[in-house]
Amino acid sequence: MPLSKHDKNIVGDVAEDLIYDVIIIGSGAAALMSACRCRDLGASVLVLEKTGRIGGTSATSGGGIWVPNNAQMAVAGIADNEKDAFDYLRNVIPADQISDDTIRTYISWSSKMIEYLGQIGVPYSPVKKYPDYYPSLPGWKEGGRTMDCEPFDGRKLGDDLYLLREMPQASKAFGRINLSITEASKIQAVAKGWQKIAAKAVIRYLADVKGRLKGRRDRRLCMGEALVGRLLLAVRKRETDFLLNSPVIGLFREDNRICGVEIEREDGQLQRIKSRRGVIVAAGGFERSAEMRKRYLANPTQPDWSAGSPGNTGDLITAGQEIGAATGRMNEAWWAPVVRWGEKTIVLFFEKSKPGLIIVDRRGRRFMNESITYNSYGKCIYGEDYTLSDHVPAYVIFDGHYRKRYMFAGLLQASMSPDWMNRKAFGPDGLLQKAPTLRELAVTLGIDADGLEATATEVAGYARTGIDEKFGRGSDEHDRMYGDERVQPNPCLGSMAKGPFYGAKLYPGDIGTKGGLVINDNAQVLDEDEQPIDGLYAAGNSTASIMGDKYPGAGCTLGPALTMAFRASNAIMQFDAG
């Protein structure tokens, strides 16, 4: 049955007494997977979503899941084992943040989780050439641990497809055509055969005549849309009750146990809903709360620097604190460099690795390796202790050669879409400032012109030798993954000599916060004395990340979120999955 039945945004017939075995808060991947698992284990389930759209940040993400030693790696001819996985994570994540036991739990249970996803119709496959983010460390692998969700035919969802939160335009070809991680990575890397992949995607999109009559939305779902779309279909098949536009106001206890929630209904009335077994919180972080960002994150900071879901204002983290739950890592986020175009926030995932682009401060000087993992941008910009502010904003600069050859923030390369076709992209209200010379660009952006010209000269020298003497850009597999293999001796370094020149303000944004409720290895929420709160479980960005302050590889947001949601579901149903 459709999610929008009778225009009340209700799935199923909500029981008159409003009592369920399990209440799940949120509608992202972790929440939907928990709903499926608890239903499969015999529970009556209610899923509560604050907004009018399904999927949270999961739906707008790349949808990748980092699963070390997954069974499909061997099928693909990639060797991995639990020891290598443990050695890698243990060397990436500081020991004072995450215990050995938690790392081992993740390695073991993420494989069980991915097997369960396959059973419920959410198949994943390893991406062979997607390296872990710290190549120099023991146990590192050049690919296979990051897994890509198989594309999904959104027509199977019927009208519910249009309740699914959509990927940002900058993640789509031509702003509208969906691509898988494998397809997007080849196009962004300008790898051999990328034109064929792009052409095939365009032809497929245009051939969906019925879809085009309904609108621009691509009905072939990829990345996060595919993950959430597949999970949503699985939830529907299990006849799970679902309420949209139903923010949770608080948790309540009976007999020292969390036994339900209070929600605000669409008519503004408050209503209590009880749970026999407990509550699973998978409601995202606090990235959209100006007050919480100012209190917990490095400053300056703004909610509109985040690519997280609009509903993620930390409501359930605050509700947990009110009933005595412990919180941790509240100063951390899944950092990412972002640029702004009007009201849009665009994350630079791939663009920063291409030759001919640099990032500088107000003095016109580089201060980091631009090709580093996007999560590392937080400490590169704010400093190791998150106490600096002189790099906010920073500035991303590139030359005419870059503009001709590479996409930037969803803007197609000039060889396919010249500047005259994109006039709204340039100028004070656009994505980029443009000038015939570096000096004129510096003046427009308010950067020291002498410093910027000196930096360009310095980088040109590095491009000739292939060695970035200051920051080592392009010196490892991670950096080079999104470089341009046609450019030698270093695929990440270009001369920056061809005008016109382009620039934009760059902010320390994020794809979500990673601080929240502290959980144990069964995903039970702990109180300030480190004791489990009976009846309360959590997963995803509502929790203090089990990856600590690091980002070991692509999919280390969704991987732990889904794994701990799987753990929570088994624990709340008292099911021993071995």
Side-chain angles (χ1 to χ4, degrees):
M1 66 186 66
L3 293 179
S4 53
K5 187 185 78 169
H6 307 313
D7 297 321
K8 294 182 180 178
N9 291 328
I10 298 174
V11 176
D13 298 312
V14 178
E16 290 184 3
D17 57 5
L18 293 177
I19 299 176
Y20 291 83
D21 292 327
V22 179
I23 296 172
I24 299 170
I25 306 171
S27 69
L32 296 181
M33 196 269 282
S34 284
C36 290
R37 182 61 173 172
C38 289
R39 287 291 288 150
D40 285 349
L41 295 177
S44 60
V45 174
L46 174 64
V47 178
L48 295 169
E49 166 55 37
K50 176 181 179 180
T51 73
R53 291 289 180 266
I54 306 295
T57 304
S58 300
T60 62
S61 74
I65 300 177
W66 194 82
V67 182
N69 198 34
N70 66 78
Q72 293 186 57
M73 290 179 73
V75 176
I78 304 168
D80 199 7
N81 56 67
E82 290 190 4
K83 181 182 183 304
D84 282 354
F86 177 83
D87 287 346
Y88 178 68
L89 287 176
R90 182 70 288 164
N91 279 280
V92 172
I93 305 170
D96 61 349
Q97 294 182 8
I98 301 298
S99 71
D100 288 0
D101 286 345
T102 296
I103 290 176
R104 291 193 173 97
T105 295
Y106 179 69
I107 293 169
S108 173
W109 280 84
S110 61
S111 292
K112 294 185 173 93
M113 175 274 296
I114 204 75
E115 181 180 356
Y116 176 71
L117 284 183
Q119 293 170 2
I120 64 173
V122 190
Y124 268 81
S125 57
V127 184
K128 291 184 179 181
K129 294 295 182 181
Y130 208 125
D132 297 337
Y133 285 169
Y134 294 86
S136 62
L137 297 181
W140 171 86
K141 299 295 178 182
E142 67 177 355
R145 288 172 172 168
T146 293
M147 306 186 76
D148 188 11
C149 187
E150 294 295 317
F152 175 59
D153 184 355
R155 294 175 296 182
K156 294 180 180 180
L157 291 172
D159 289 341
D160 295 344
L161 167 65
Y162 300 97
L163 287 176
L164 188 68
R165 200 171 291 282
E166 191 170 0
M167 293 283 291
Q169 288 185 352
S171 300
K172 299 171 179 279
F174 301 100
R176 61 178 69 183
I177 302 174
N178 289 333
L179 301 167
S180 69
I181 289 178
T182 301
E183 290 166 344
S185 63
K186 288 183 178 179
I187 291 173
Q188 291 285 359
V190 200
K192 184 178 180 180
W194 73 269
Q195 298 98 329
K196 184 178 181 180
I197 294 171
K200 184 178 179 181
V202 171
I203 292 170
R204 175 198 52 75
Y205 176 81
L206 295 176
D208 181 13
V209 178
K210 289 184 178 180
R212 301 293 64 77
L213 292 174
K214 287 178 175 287
R216 291 167 52 114
R217 184 155 193 174
D218 192 348
R219 298 197 294 179
R220 179 196 184 234
L221 305 185
C222 298
M223 297 193 190
E225 287 186 21
L227 168 59
V228 174
R230 286 180 176 278
L231 284 169
L232 182 55
L233 182 62
V235 167
R236 285 182 56 194
K237 288 179 177 179
R238 287 159 175 77
E239 299 182 344
T240 308
D241 288 348
F242 205 127
L243 290 177
L244 300 183
N245 297 308
S246 300
V248 173
I249 304 304
L251 306 164
F252 66 89
R253 272 191 172 113
E254 287 181 4
D255 300 325
N256 204 35
R257 176 181 170 277
I258 299 300
C259 61
V261 301
E262 187 172 53
I263 69 169
E264 181 180 350
R265 297 297 295 263
E266 286 190 85
D267 60 7
Q269 298 296 310
L270 300 184
Q271 185 169 21
R272 281 195 168 189
I273 307 175
K274 292 186 177 182
S275 61
R276 300 182 185 92
R277 290 184 174 270
V279 174
I280 299 175
V281 175
F286 60 87
E287 59 269 17
R288 291 295 187 166
S289 168
E291 188 275 329
M292 292 182 77
R293 289 184 76 97
K294 184 175 180 181
R295 184 194 312 174
Y296 294 115
L297 298 183
N299 279 269
T301 186
Q302 296 288 339
D304 59 12
W305 296 353
S306 178
S309 176
N312 291 353
T313 53
D315 306 355
L316 270 297
I317 297 172
T318 300
Q321 290 173 323
E322 290 173 351
I323 55 96
T327 55
R329 271 179 281 289
M330 295 293 284
N331 66 330
E332 293 290 346
W334 301 100
W335 303 108
V338 303
V339 292
R340 298 274 296 163
W341 188 352
E343 297 298 314
K344 293 188 294 186
T345 297
I346 305 171
V347 181
L348 304 183
F349 290 117
F350 315 112
E351 297 89 337
K352 58 192 179 55
S353 295
K354 297 292 189 294
L357 176 149
I358 58 173
I359 292 170
V360 300
D361 58 19
R362 294 182 185 91
R363 301 174 303 153
R365 295 294 189 178
R366 294 173 68 222
F367 57 90
M368 62 177 294
N369 169 5
E370 296 88 345
S371 300
I372 201 169
T373 168
Y374 47 88
N375 186 65
S376 299
Y377 268 67
K379 290 189 175 181
C380 287
I381 292 177
Y382 285 123
E384 284 292 324
D385 298 321
Y386 296 135
T387 57
L388 302 180
S389 61
D390 56 343
H391 294 153
V392 184
Y395 302 86
V396 56
I397 310 290
F398 54 87
D399 71 349
H401 187 71
Y402 180 105
R403 171 78 185 101
K404 181 179 180 180
R405 301 187 79 171
Y406 312 121
M407 289 179 63
F408 181 84
L411 184 66
L412 288 174
Q413 52 265 57
S415 60
M416 298 177 66
S417 184
D419 288 357
W420 62 266
M421 295 176 60
N422 299 280
R423 290 188 177 93
K424 291 183 179 180
F426 308 105
D429 299 322
L431 171 66
L432 293 161
Q433 298 294 323
K434 176 182 175 182
T437 67
L438 265 181
R439 179 164 287 272
E440 290 172 271
L441 180 65
V443 171
T444 300
L445 291 171
I447 302 172
D448 181 86
D450 291 336
L452 183 58
E453 288 184 333
T455 297
T457 299
E458 185 177 72
V459 171
Y462 298 159
R464 287 192 294 272
T465 64
I467 299 173
D468 177 0
E469 296 177 6
K470 282 192 173 179
F471 303 107
R473 181 178 177 183
S475 61
D476 62 36
E477 287 85 349
H478 171 268
D479 285 11
R480 293 192 292 270
M481 176 175 59
Y482 287 117
D484 185 343
E485 61 186 12
R486 299 169 299 180
V487 176
Q488 296 297 325
N490 188 322
C492 300
L493 291 173
S495 63
M496 285 201 63
K498 181 178 176 58
F501 296 88
Y502 304 82
K505 291 181 179 180
L506 183 92
Y507 299 99
D510 59 77
I511 54 176
T513 49
K514 61 161 54 177
L517 305 173
V518 176
I519 57 174
N520 64 16
D521 291 349
N522 283 319
Q524 294 173 287
V525 176
L526 304 181
D527 64 21
E528 293 179 353
D529 294 322
E530 300 184 357
Q531 297 301 307
I533 297 175
D534 193 15
L536 187 59
Y537 302 78
N541 287 354
S542 293
T543 70
S545 173
I546 64 170
M547 294 289 119
D549 65 354
K550 296 298 189 291
Y551 205 157
C556 276
T557 47
L558 281 171
L562 285 161
T563 299
M564 299 316 292
F566 188 60
R567 293 281 287 175
S569 304
N570 287 318
I572 204 169
M573 296 302 297
Q574 298 181 346
F575 179 79
D576 183 3

